[in-house]
Amino acid sequence: MSVQKEVKRITTHTLELMKEKGEKIAMLTAYDYSSARIIDEAGIDVILVGDSASNVMAGHETTLPITLDHMIYHAQSVVRGVSRCFVVVDLPFGTYQGNSKQALASAIRIMKETGAHGVKMEGGEEVVDSIRRILSSGIPVMGHLGLMPQSIYKFGTYQVRAKEEAEAEKLKSDALLLEAAGCFGLVLEKIPADLAKEVSESLKIPTIGIGAGNHCDGQVLVMHDMLGINHEFKPRFLRQYANLYDVINSAVKHYISDVKSREFPNEKEQY
Ligand code: KIV
């Protein structure tokens, strides 16, 4: 039987064992109770309450505006919807970069107020003091390297990162540093597949890729993208498993037409 199926609740230890046994980890984002419940019941291993909520829930152009209070609200809703998967929450921009004391205070708020199981933060060497301090308080931390959307104004583009040797070398040493600091996992976003393979093979902790090829220990997608709710976003790495934009759009058109034509409600739908 698979490691994932043997356990009642996925923990950092389960994820570590899954890597050891070569069992891939499936992770998706969620930001609300109802979606979290569906994807937990479908058997997802990890839910990320991503700061991509800033884009897909609030309609901002970047992940920068979302606040810690907003993330806590989303995480509380998600945690109420799940019973089995591991829930990790993004520390939003500006809540951990200042200093390690601020980072710890933000992580503690997330853990205390939401009931989530860990936090994720973007960056390598620049944030490792904060990561160490959070870990020393017993809070599991997931790292995030490669394309880091909170640094979009520094990068200037959402294109593939670490194609050049210097950036690839820094990413490899950051990955080792995060593992040595005690991170339980590492998201690798939009980097060449060969580099993701090398990093994944150099680490004991699982790597979770998004646009980082098939050799990562798991994969993550933004739920709205893979369900085709956000139907205009079609990067090469995205596989769209449904077209909910069309499903919802046509259901709503049907409803509008039924209301206007007095077809809804009918006799059976009234008291
Ligand atoms: O916020 C998010 O959704 C993420 C994933 C893209 C990994 O960080």
Side-chain angles (χ1 to χ4, degrees):
M1 185 144 62
S2 72
V3 178
Q4 186 247 28
K5 288 210 169 95
E6 271 170 45
V7 296
K8 281 214 175 88
R9 179 117 229 174
I10 310 263
T11 65
T12 52
H13 179 62
T14 323
L15 300 174
E16 205 179 294
L17 267 182
M18 286 171 78
K19 167 149 186 166
E20 235 174 82
K21 302 223 159 146
E23 204 174 307
K24 296 280 187 182
I25 298 166
M27 171 160 145
L28 273 179
T29 66
Y31 320 98
D32 68 282
Y33 167 82
S34 304
S35 321
R37 193 165 163 200
I38 297 172
I39 61 185
D40 183 59
E41 287 174 3
I44 202 77
D45 299 312
V46 184
I47 286 185
L48 168 65
V49 184
D51 58 358
S52 49
S54 180
N55 310 104
V56 296
M57 298 302 287
H60 292 297
E61 204 177 307
T62 72
T63 57
L64 274 66
I66 199 159
T67 66
L68 188 57
D69 285 339
H70 291 143
M71 290 302 295
I72 286 172
Y73 170 78
H74 288 298
Q76 286 169 334
S77 312
V78 165
V79 168
R80 283 195 286 269
V82 309
S83 58
R84 212 186 130 272
C85 69
F86 188 87
V87 179
V88 58
V89 183
D90 264 334
L91 283 182
F93 176 68
T95 65
Y96 62 96
Q97 291 92 345
N99 58 60
S100 65
K101 206 170 156 189
Q102 177 207 28
L104 177 61
S106 306
I108 287 179
R109 274 202 67 199
I110 288 190
M111 300 301 282
K112 257 187 166 351
E113 295 178 37
T114 72
H117 313 124
V119 298
K120 172 167 90 56
M121 47 210 277
E122 297 179 5
E125 196 207 333
E126 314 75 25
V127 294
V128 77
D129 284 345
S130 296
I131 290 181
R132 287 200 189 98
R133 189 145 180 184
I134 295 172
L135 282 162
S136 73
S137 74
I139 300 173
V141 177
M142 179 171 240
H144 183 151
L145 297 173
L147 178 66
M148 294 174 280
Q150 292 179 12
S151 301
I152 189 58
Y153 291 117
K154 182 175 92 183
F155 294 147
T157 148
Y158 283 104
Q159 272 161 18
V160 180
R161 302 305 313 174
K163 278 162 100 177
E164 306 301 330
E165 187 162 344
E167 197 177 330
E169 287 305 318
K170 173 161 172 19
L171 190 146
K172 285 191 263 181
S173 75
D174 278 344
L176 292 171
L177 192 65
L178 296 183
E179 172 170 85
C183 286
F184 72 87
L186 177 62
V187 166
L188 295 174
E189 180 164 354
K190 252 188 152 179
I191 61 170
D194 285 348
L195 175 61
K197 180 172 189 279
E198 196 182 331
V199 172
S200 302
E201 287 171 356
S202 74
L203 301 178
K204 288 210 181 64
I205 58 170
T207 58
I208 310 288
I210 173 164
N214 196 20
H215 294 284
C216 294
D217 304 299
Q219 298 292 326
V220 58
L221 285 175
V222 169
M223 186 192 65
H224 289 62
D225 300 340
M226 64 84 78
L227 292 179
I229 296 174
N230 184 8
H231 73 313
E232 282 142 351
F233 183 64
K234 287 199 169 127
R236 172 165 158 180
F237 69 78
L238 174 66
R239 187 175 296 177
Q240 205 177 292
Y241 286 84
N243 189 341
L244 290 197
Y245 179 91
D246 283 352
V247 171
I248 296 170
N249 185 274
S250 87
V252 172
K253 282 186 173 143
H254 195 166
Y255 167 72
I256 294 168
S257 144
D258 282 358
V259 170
K260 306 268 178 202
S261 65
R262 298 175 165 73
E263 167 66 25
F264 174 79
N266 63 24
E267 275 180 14
K268 288 190 193 140
E269 290 159 334
Q270 66 190 19
Y271 298 99

